[in-house]
Amino acid sequence: MGTPIHTVVFDIGGGAGNGNRVKAVQTGGPSGGCLPVDKFDLPIDFDVLYQAGSMVGSGGMVVMDEETCMVDVAKYFLTFLQDESCGKCLPCRLGIDRMLEIITDITEGRGKPEQLDLLEELADTVAQTALCGLGKTAPNPVLSTLRYFRPEYEAHINEKTCPAGVCKALITYSIDPDKCNGCGVCLRACVYGAITGTKKQVHIIDTQLCQKCGICRSECKFDAIRVA
Amino acid sequence: MLQYVNVNIDGAIIHATKGTSVLDTALEYGICIPHLCHVPYLSDIGACRLCIVEHVVNGRSNVTTSCTLNVEEGMVIMTNTDRIRKLRRNLAELLVAQAPNSRAIQDIALRCGVREVRYPFRNEDCVLCGRCVRACTEVWKARAIGFVGRGKDRHVDYPFGIRPDFCKQCGTCIQICPMTIPPCGGPMKPGEERLCGDCESQLIIADETVGSCVWCKLGEGFACGRYV
């Protein structure tokens, strides 16, 4: 209690692996919120975290680096909360469902700019009118990510890109011809047969066949698979 | 002997019977609070959340449902503030987007100020207000129907889905259901759902006398407490 977040994340936890930069920390379990790096000076305290849009909650912390899409994070937690909702009161049952519908639209490239305001208004309504604590805190993942990572939502909607390269409908995999040396590891690893090429030649990904599973990227030793 | 308490609802000091709910008191006094799951002779569960009011405690206002809030001495209630109207409109919008195929739901949406629906329509048959379940359980003590499942899967059903012998097919559940009254223009087919809004002329008089019950004809549709 009272320890700054960066002490826990960087000194005790050791920061992110692979040399990635830390982007956010999610505190308080599914109903908690995501805090960006510039809020890492905040002490871990009930009132302070509540004012920042998150909460202490279960005391758990999930640290996320730049390969995590915040819209996808909000979607994941909403899916969990929808399962947990008992379904008695209207704002929690229908509100979470509609928020999830809007966020799914955004991650799949069907988002419209006016949906962001609708999402914020709906989240605020659910937070104020739900019957129990679950419903009252359920919009926290949406509200906190909207508050601190709004540019990421806007990139999904306006430019139809996922900056973190997570949302499958908005990304394409390609091979960097300068880095690929034609070793053939990705060709053998691809489950869908989407990669073609001969040995010692630059390989090519067929975007029609590619299912964006990411296996090629994790197998490639030369960091030649690009996500954009 | 009946005991009385003084409550302040929208600035009016009301001499209310101890033990009654704020909603009943307000309706009796002619203050309009839209409601759906409340039926005068059944217990209140606060599921629809439409009857939300602002309850001022120690200078802070809490949003809570008036049907589950009992009157107390010196209570200050506000039923028609901008905040409440906005929340109520958003809730009614969720409701009408979920189940537009009912005159009662359309009337509630109109009464709560919904002028456009920003979500895609779904043509659901049940809004889980729980009127049928409570009527069966409390009026007839039959317990032939109840809520089954939770969250998105919550629905009203017989025990194990089979009609038990203690269901006498009295039809109370059908009479009391808000979804059995079709919209004036006839039932809407999937894909043709819309916000009805034909009775908007009924609201002219209600808008001039904000917050007071004018015996609008809309109340008949959703079985407003004054009509039952």
Side-chain angles (χ1 to χ4, degrees):
Chain A
M1 276 301 179
T3 317
I5 296 174
H6 64 79
T7 312
V8 177
V9 173
F10 295 110
D11 300 347
I12 301 173
N18 303 335
N20 286 342
R21 276 192 304 132
V22 172
K23 181 183 191 174
V25 63
Q26 206 273 353
T27 61
S31 310
C34 301
L35 298 173
V37 176
D38 54 349
K39 294 276 171 191
F40 273 24
D41 292 337
L42 295 179
I44 298 167
D45 183 83
F46 292 104
D47 294 335
V48 175
L49 286 189
Y50 182 77
Q51 276 162 16
S54 182
M55 57 184 193
V56 176
S58 61
M61 278 191 186
V62 181
V63 181
M64 290 171 275
D65 65 9
E66 53 203 352
E67 286 181 4
T68 311
C69 170
M70 299 316 284
V71 187
D72 192 62
V73 166
K75 183 177 153 190
Y76 170 78
F77 284 120
L78 278 184
T79 314
F80 174 82
L81 287 161
Q82 192 189 30
D83 280 350
E84 289 299 307
S85 165
C86 79
K88 178 179 176 180
C89 77
L90 183 144
C92 179
R93 172 166 40 91
L94 298 184
I96 294 180
D97 201 21
R98 292 292 181 177
M99 282 195 281
L100 191 58
E101 190 179 81
I102 294 171
I103 289 207
T104 310
D105 275 0
I106 292 174
T107 55
E108 290 177 3
R110 298 188 299 268
K112 299 184 200 74
E114 66 267 21
Q115 279 185 323
L116 277 190
D117 294 332
L118 176 61
L119 188 62
E120 204 161 13
E121 196 179 322
L122 177 59
D124 191 45
T125 305
V126 175
Q128 288 191 52
T129 57
L131 178 71
C132 76
L134 185 119
K136 281 183 200 299
T137 54
N140 271 354
V142 176
L143 281 173
S144 64
T145 48
L146 261 179
R147 183 169 159 189
Y148 297 118
F149 301 96
R150 206 180 175 102
E152 228 171 287
Y153 279 85
E154 281 161 356
H156 280 77
I157 292 173
N158 299 331
E159 292 140 39
K160 308 279 181 218
T161 54
C162 179
V166 174
C167 301
K168 285 189 179 174
L170 302 176
I171 53 170
T172 45
Y173 281 82
S174 58
I175 294 177
D176 189 343
D178 298 336
K179 287 182 181 166
C180 178
N181 67 353
C183 66
V185 167
C186 57
L187 191 146
R188 284 191 295 278
C190 183
V191 190
Y192 304 101
I195 299 177
T196 48
T198 46
K199 223 166 171 54
K200 306 283 181 192
Q201 296 288 313
V202 173
H203 288 35
I204 293 169
I205 298 180
D206 185 344
T207 46
Q208 296 288 315
L209 290 173
C210 176
Q211 300 292 313
K212 298 159 185 173
C213 61
I215 289 179
C216 52
R217 193 171 184 225
S218 59
E219 291 292 314
C220 185
K221 303 278 188 299
F222 308 99
D223 203 17
I225 313 278
R226 286 182 307 201
V227 183
Chain B
M1 195 191 122
L2 283 176
Q3 287 182 311
Y4 292 95
V5 289
N6 291 313
V7 289
N8 180 338
I9 303 183
D10 283 348
I13 309 293
I14 297 178
H15 201 52
T17 316
K18 200 173 182 180
T20 56
S21 69
V22 171
L23 179 62
D24 281 334
T25 309
L27 289 177
E28 200 178 321
Y29 198 74
I31 293 168
C32 177
I33 302 175
H35 49 272
L36 173 65
C37 65
H38 167 79
V39 178
Y41 49 87
L42 299 178
S43 66
D44 290 310
I45 55 170
C48 74
R49 317 301 289 170
L50 286 169
C51 64
I52 45 171
V53 291
E54 273 190 70
H55 178 206
V56 184
V57 187
N58 296 333
R60 288 183 54 165
S61 76
N62 303 325
V63 174
T64 175
T65 46
S66 56
C67 66
T68 52
L69 186 68
N70 278 355
V71 287
E72 282 164 27
E73 182 66 44
M75 203 176 214
V76 180
I77 303 286
M78 289 182 287
T79 68
N80 210 351
T81 57
D82 286 347
R83 180 183 176 195
I84 290 291
R85 273 204 299 273
K86 187 181 166 199
L87 292 176
R88 210 180 263 159
R89 193 195 67 214
N90 287 345
L91 291 178
E93 192 180 344
L94 283 173
L95 191 65
V96 76
Q98 184 79 3
N101 219 340
S102 150
R103 191 184 141 202
I105 306 290
Q106 293 279 0
D107 284 351
I108 283 182
L110 193 63
R111 183 71 194 83
C112 296
V114 181
R115 292 293 177 271
E116 55 159 348
V117 178
R118 293 167 290 180
Y119 311 102
F121 278 107
R122 296 171 185 164
N123 211 332
E124 297 286 330
D125 292 331
C126 179
V127 291
L128 296 169
C129 64
R131 282 187 185 188
C132 51
V133 173
R134 280 174 293 150
C136 192
T137 310
E138 293 167 20
V139 178
W140 301 109
K141 308 278 187 288
R143 294 172 189 271
I145 48 174
F147 288 115
V148 181
R150 52 192 286 280
K152 263 188 95 174
D153 302 326
R154 186 176 165 102
H155 60 281
V156 175
D157 206 347
Y158 296 122
F160 306 106
I162 306 157
R163 190 175 73 81
D165 289 343
F166 40 86
C167 169
K168 302 294 180 202
Q169 293 186 304
C170 65
T172 310
C173 47
I174 298 171
Q175 275 176 19
I176 209 170
C177 177
M179 295 303 294
T180 50
I181 321 161
C184 309
M188 298 168 184
K189 294 189 187 77
E192 291 177 3
E193 299 93 344
R194 64 196 175 88
L195 187 67
C196 174
D198 290 344
C199 299
E200 210 163 325
S201 59
Q202 294 281 343
L203 277 179
I204 295 171
I205 187 168
D207 280 347
E208 284 168 1
T209 51
V210 172
S212 52
C213 174
V214 291
W215 286 80
C216 61
K217 287 290 171 198
L218 298 177
E220 277 180 349
F222 57 86
C224 171
R226 303 208 73 173
Y227 279 94
V228 176

